[in-house]
């Protein structure tokens, strides 16, 4: 019995749907996502953002205060807890590198008592 020829198209469709979903999650957090980014880059971006958020929470940050909705006033508990903005011309790799450095900086801080 042969496999239907539509399976690869369904896989591509599923991948596109998941990629769009992840991109939407990033945009909700205020992270710019470029149309030419691969699904792998989008996954890496989301992982970097989530790692940053975990570091903020581990140091007593409140993500509701530190990451307000788009176009809302920003009054973070600590400016270091604010999710770094991504420049319009910044590559995914460059932004991930900056996010990693910011995450590491937060992790090096003393834990709240």
């Amino acid at each position: 019995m042969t496999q239907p020829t539509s399976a690869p198209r369904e896989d591509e469709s599923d991948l596109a749907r998941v990629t769009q979903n992840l991109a939407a999650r990033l945009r909700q957090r205020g992270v710019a996502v470029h149309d030419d980014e691969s699904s792998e880059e989008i996954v890496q971006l989301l992982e970097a953002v989530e790692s940053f958020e975990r570091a903020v929470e581990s140091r007593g940050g409140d993500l509701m205060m530190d990451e307000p909705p788009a176009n809302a006033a920003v009054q973070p508990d600590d400016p270091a807890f604010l999710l770094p903005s991504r420049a319009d011309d910044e590559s995914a790799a460059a932004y991930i590198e900056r996010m990693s450095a910011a995450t590491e900086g937060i992790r090096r801080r003393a834990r709240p008592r």
Side-chain angles (χ1 to χ4, degrees):
M1 183 163 190
T2 61
Q3 293 290 328
T5 57
S6 64
R9 287 188 190 138
E10 287 176 17
D11 289 345
E12 290 172 15
S13 175
D14 288 344
L15 179 60
R17 182 178 39 77
V18 170
T19 300
Q20 289 172 355
N21 187 340
L22 296 178
R25 288 173 55 190
L26 285 164
R27 289 184 182 109
Q28 286 175 337
R29 289 173 161 107
V31 176
V33 178
H34 304 155
D35 292 336
D36 63 344
E37 288 172 335
S38 71
S39 56
E40 180 67 24
E41 287 173 316
I42 290 173
V43 167
Q44 291 171 351
L45 285 166
L46 185 59
E47 288 172 349
V49 168
E50 289 176 345
S51 181
F52 178 85
E53 291 174 340
R54 284 190 303 274
V56 167
E57 289 174 329
S58 76
R59 295 305 184 259
D62 180 349
L63 296 178
M64 294 298 287
M65 291 297 296
D66 299 321
E67 294 180 20
N71 302 320
V74 177
Q75 295 180 335
D77 297 330
D78 181 323
F81 291 168
L82 185 60
L83 186 67
S85 299
R86 183 177 182 193
D88 290 337
D89 63 346
E90 188 172 23
S91 70
Y95 183 64
I96 290 167
E97 188 174 318
R98 273 196 319 113
M99 287 288 298
S100 295
T103 301
E104 191 55 37
I106 291 169
R107 286 184 180 143
R108 285 192 297 252
R109 299 174 81 162
R111 292 187 188 273
R113 294 176 189 217

